[in-house]
Amino acid sequence: MTKKLRHLSNLYSMSCMRYLLLFTLGCFLFACSGGGQKFKFEGGTFHYAMDNEPTTFLPRDVTDLYSATLLSQVYQGLVAFNPQTMEPEPCLAKSWTVSEDQKTFRFELRDDVYFHTNEYFKKPVKLTMDDVVYSVEAACTKRDGKESFAFATLYKGMLKGAIEFFNGETEHISGLKVNGNTIEFELLESSPNFVDKLAMVNASIVSKKAAEEDLELEPIGTGPFKFVGSFDKDGRTEIALVRNENYYEKDKDGNRLPYLDSVIFLVESRKLIQLEMFEEGSIELIDGLPPSRISSLLGEGKIQEFNSTPPNLILDRKPLLGTQYYCFNMLKKEFKDVRVRQAINYAINRDEIVENILNNQAYSTGDGGVVPPAAFKGYNAKDVKEHAYTFQPEKAKKLLAQAGYPDGKGFPTISLKFNIGTHHSAVADEVAKQLKKVLNINVNLDGIEFKEMLQDQYYSRGDIFRTSWYADYYSPESFLLNAYGKTVPLDPSTPSITNISRYQNPKYDELFEKGMQANSIVDRYKYFSEAESVLMDDSPFVILWYEETIKIVYSKVRNLYLNKMNTYSFKKVYFKDWTKEEWETENDYK
């Protein structure tokens, strides 16, 4: 390791002095930059509170929402999701074509994109096709005996030659072909969702030059915002991004993007503290409310702030493409018996959790599959629900007895791992009480930091894990991939990045693969729902509830589009107070 390479922990411990120095430099660059006319309402800082710190600065390794939220402002892929429609649209690639059999995808690269400047790259480095090829090959490279999340979810078994390259059998990926400013991806099977997958943060294009300079852990992207640094302020980590002065995109009127000077991410796991920060104006948006404060915040005392013309606050409440659930560690002897897993599923009263712990801050209880039942129009969630679980204590007791543990006798104490902060501790405590009451099972609650919990999940260090999943792209496939058996490594000591339960069923895999490859959405949804029914019968998961968002934002925040995938794009956000007349005729919140 060279002296230039700094680990994530070192990045988080950078001093305020360095932050202020670089921030001042960034502001100077703003004033000197060209590239489009200045927007009338340009400037300002958006402050956003996230529950946990990002776990990685390498896009190909992102598995959590927090890393994705941060890095999606810094890095870009060949395509991106439109923040309003969530449809893929051109990004670093200005266009693409797809073969009739949906096995060959060609992308034409833009010619006006530069990587961020920083203390190492004083002059802008132009994006080239070498960076694109490097990014894919880096994602398909084994490092420390592990595969990247991008390889496991996007390229493995999909991109021709990716597995051979990963195993060191070839020097290049045979399915990647470059012709001038065009790159072609040749797939082994048809994949109607491949373009959508390339819009994930994991498929971001990174700098080959940065990697060659041992700077890959420095977030150097092409996105609208540049990473400046991270520092500790009043015991809280804050991460600073500033406007990319060389950003290529303009708005429809020729104004330069992004409009904001900077975006500050404040790491705070306590929702009550986040609410205090929002009420005092330290952050412009609160994402998820403390269950204990929902009534008071949305009650009569605050109603005028939402209902005035114009209002001061905007409330957005909608279902998300997100599921909260627990995973069984299928390597554990006691969980190899499906009756034990089913007994625990039937012993949990999800209604009580949603009503009493969450104060109904959920779209619905987890009485269906892992795919949110109302998420995808035309998806047969009704049939899946027939294989799902509701609170049936007598059935739970009978199943556990059949498994050889009548009234819980002889059943070992199990550990339930969850990340501390937010409401997960209270939920875990309620689940433990219910399992003790219904099945006489003892549960040891193990609350740990989020990053540590992810590592324990990957390496199967524990019995039951709290987890959640938000769709990476608009398809049931994004959820069902987490049970795909062919992603599970043969060696139990090797981390399983996607399928953390290590669930394997050939019937499920067969149906899942048919769904991935089907060209018509009707056939895709048919196979996916059949696969999910098999999954629920096998019950490697305990589905708890389906997520909804309750977001409150100050009305002066313009162009912040709140979508079902819970992703954020800040490049067109700006601040401007509304007049009464403007609100009545032009607001986007109607």
Side-chain angles (χ1 to χ4, degrees):
M1 182 181 300
T2 71
K3 62 182 181 180
K4 288 185 179 179
L5 181 61
R6 293 178 294 167
H7 283 289
L8 187 63
S9 59
N10 293 331
L11 287 167
Y12 280 155
S13 62
M14 288 194 300
S15 68
C16 280
M17 184 177 295
R18 179 174 182 269
Y19 160 75
L20 290 171
L21 177 63
L22 289 177
F23 186 83
T24 303
L25 174 61
C27 290
F28 173 76
L29 288 172
F30 298 160
C32 295
S33 65
Q37 62 193 26
K38 183 176 179 180
F39 180 53
K40 182 178 180 181
F41 302 103
E42 181 177 289
T45 299
F46 188 90
H47 301 85
Y48 176 78
M50 58 169 57
D51 295 342
N52 293 284
E53 294 183 3
T55 62
T56 182
F57 281 165
L58 289 175
R60 59 179 175 266
D61 287 338
V62 169
T63 61
D64 64 281
L65 185 65
Y66 314 108
S67 300
T69 300
L70 174 70
L71 295 185
S72 61
Q73 317 306 321
V74 176
Y75 290 97
Q76 294 180 305
L78 294 172
V79 295
F81 289 120
N82 181 293
Q84 289 178 281
T85 66
M86 300 316 296
E87 293 291 328
E89 60 185 16
C91 191
L92 297 181
K94 59 184 178 182
S95 64
W96 71 84
T97 59
V98 183
S99 64
E100 187 174 348
D101 61 4
Q102 299 195 64
K103 292 174 66 174
T104 303
F105 296 76
R106 296 182 183 89
F107 297 86
E108 185 178 358
L109 197 65
R110 295 182 66 107
D111 193 41
D112 57 351
V113 180
Y114 293 84
F115 285 99
H116 299 159
T117 55
N118 64 8
E119 59 186 304
Y120 301 114
F121 289 180
K122 304 294 185 181
K123 296 181 179 180
V125 176
K126 192 173 185 178
L127 169 75
T128 70
M129 194 60 75
D130 286 345
D131 299 301
V132 180
V133 173
Y134 170 78
S135 298
V136 179
E137 290 187 343
C140 297
T141 298
K142 185 183 299 184
R143 299 174 191 272
D144 300 324
K146 297 183 292 186
E147 59 186 29
S148 71
F149 186 77
F151 178 70
T153 60
L154 181 54
Y155 302 120
K156 184 179 181 180
M158 183 64 65
L159 178 61
K160 183 179 178 181
I163 291 178
E164 291 81 359
F165 180 83
F166 180 82
N167 291 331
E169 300 168 7
T170 59
E171 293 185 0
H172 299 286
I173 298 174
S174 59
L176 276 185
K177 300 175 183 177
V178 174
N179 182 11
N181 216 35
T182 300
I183 187 166
E184 178 180 292
F185 292 77
E186 183 181 352
L187 307 186
L188 295 168
E189 304 288 347
S190 62
S191 178
N193 287 323
F194 186 69
V195 173
D196 296 71
K197 293 178 182 180
L198 288 181
M200 298 190 304
V201 68
N202 307 96
S204 296
I205 306 305
V206 300
S207 167
K208 181 180 180 181
K209 179 176 173 61
E212 292 173 343
E213 298 277 339
D214 288 322
L215 296 171
E216 208 165 23
L217 290 183
E218 290 282 346
I220 302 172
T222 60
F225 293 96
K226 302 195 304 183
F227 176 85
V228 171
S230 173
F231 63 98
D232 182 83
K233 182 179 179 181
D234 300 328
R236 179 186 297 119
T237 297
E238 297 190 4
I239 305 169
L241 307 181
V242 297
R243 181 192 293 130
N244 174 12
E245 68 277 5
N246 293 307
Y247 191 57
Y248 60 91
E249 239 187 312
K250 312 292 184 297
D251 68 14
K252 60 182 178 60
D253 297 317
N255 297 310
R256 66 187 185 187
L257 293 173
Y259 300 139
L260 292 169
D261 286 338
S262 55
V263 178
I264 304 295
F265 293 89
L266 302 92
V267 180
E268 176 54 68
S269 63
R270 297 163 295 180
K271 285 296 181 184
L272 283 172
I273 302 299
Q274 286 189 19
L275 180 57
E276 290 178 5
M277 294 163 64
F278 178 76
E279 291 180 324
E280 67 186 19
S282 298
I283 57 177
E284 283 75 35
L285 165 76
I286 182 163
D287 186 350
L289 304 179
S292 61
R293 291 288 306 277
I294 291 177
S295 298
S296 61
L297 189 61
L298 303 182
E300 292 184 6
K302 290 277 187 179
I303 197 70
Q304 186 61 24
E305 294 213 57
F306 295 98
N307 290 345
S308 59
T309 304
N312 180 44
L313 303 175
I314 303 296
L315 171 69
D316 187 80
R317 186 169 191 169
K318 63 164 65 85
L320 293 176
L321 299 182
T323 302
Q324 292 281 346
Y325 59 105
Y326 288 162
C327 276
F328 292 104
N329 179 357
M330 300 290 283
L331 297 180
K332 294 289 184 177
K333 178 183 176 181
E334 55 271 21
F335 295 142
K336 291 184 181 295
D337 192 325
V338 67
R339 294 170 297 186
V340 171
R341 304 194 301 269
Q342 290 174 341
I344 291 175
N345 262 289
Y346 283 122
I348 295 176
N349 189 332
R350 296 156 177 82
D351 289 330
E352 283 195 4
I353 293 172
V354 170
E355 292 173 11
N356 300 331
I357 306 299
L358 304 181
N359 198 8
N360 292 309
Q361 194 177 173
Y363 180 68
S364 67
T365 57
D367 57 355
V370 69
V371 178
F376 303 100
K377 186 177 181 180
Y379 186 70
N380 195 352
K382 183 177 180 181
D383 281 359
V384 174
K385 191 170 183 176
E386 294 178 2
H387 299 263
Y389 300 88
T390 55
F391 182 51
Q392 299 185 49
E394 295 306 315
K395 193 169 185 177
K397 293 175 183 178
K398 184 178 179 180
L399 283 165
L400 194 64
Q402 290 174 352
Y405 307 102
D407 195 32
K409 293 179 181 177
F411 196 83
T413 298
I414 56 177
S415 69
L416 171 55
K417 290 201 172 186
F418 58 91
N419 54 295
I420 55 178
T422 63
H423 45 250
H424 299 306
S425 299
V427 172
D429 185 60
E430 176 63 23
V431 168
K433 289 177 180 177
Q434 292 181 9
L435 293 181
K436 179 64 176 177
K437 180 179 180 180
V438 176
L439 298 176
N440 198 29
I441 288 177
N442 294 313
V443 178
N444 177 46
L445 300 180
D446 189 2
I448 54 181
E449 294 294 332
F450 181 72
K451 186 175 182 180
E452 181 184 355
M453 185 191 71
L454 289 182
Q455 292 301 310
D456 285 351
Q457 289 176 357
Y458 301 155
Y459 285 92
S460 300
R461 296 191 289 251
D463 299 323
I464 300 177
F465 306 100
R466 185 216 76 81
T467 189
S468 62
W469 196 255
Y470 292 86
D472 287 317
Y473 47 95
Y474 191 76
S475 172
E477 178 186 340
S478 181
F479 291 90
L480 298 176
L481 180 66
N482 293 304
Y484 187 38
K486 293 183 180 180
T487 65
V488 178
L490 296 176
D491 184 355
S493 65
T494 300
S496 185
I497 305 299
T498 53
N499 187 340
I500 61 175
S501 69
R502 300 185 187 244
Y503 165 74
Q504 292 178 294
N505 183 325
K507 180 62 176 176
Y508 175 88
D509 291 349
E510 177 187 356
L511 291 167
F512 178 69
E513 289 171 352
K514 287 182 177 179
M516 283 198 297
Q517 297 162 15
N519 287 329
S520 79
I521 193 169
V522 173
D523 288 340
R524 285 204 297 277
Y525 282 10
K526 172 182 178 292
Y527 289 124
F528 284 149
S529 65
E530 289 176 1
E532 191 177 15
S533 296
V534 172
L535 176 70
M536 297 314 296
D537 285 339
D538 286 345
S539 58
F541 305 150
V542 177
I543 310 301
L544 296 173
W545 70 88
Y546 304 107
E547 289 277 37
E548 73 167 0
T549 180
I550 300 180
K551 293 179 171 59
I552 300 178
V553 61
Y554 285 99
S555 64
K556 66 180 180 179
V557 178
R558 307 287 189 100
N559 291 347
L560 181 64
Y561 301 113
L562 308 175
N563 56 66
K564 290 186 176 182
M565 285 173 56
N566 216 30
T567 61
Y568 293 96
S569 173
F570 297 114
K571 69 181 178 183
K572 291 186 178 180
V573 170
Y574 67 95
F575 299 109
K576 181 178 181 292
D577 290 322
W578 294 89
T579 65
K580 182 176 184 296
E581 294 73 23
E582 185 186 14
W583 179 261
E584 291 176 337
T585 58
E586 299 180 20
N587 82 80
D588 293 327
Y589 299 100
K590 291 180 179 179

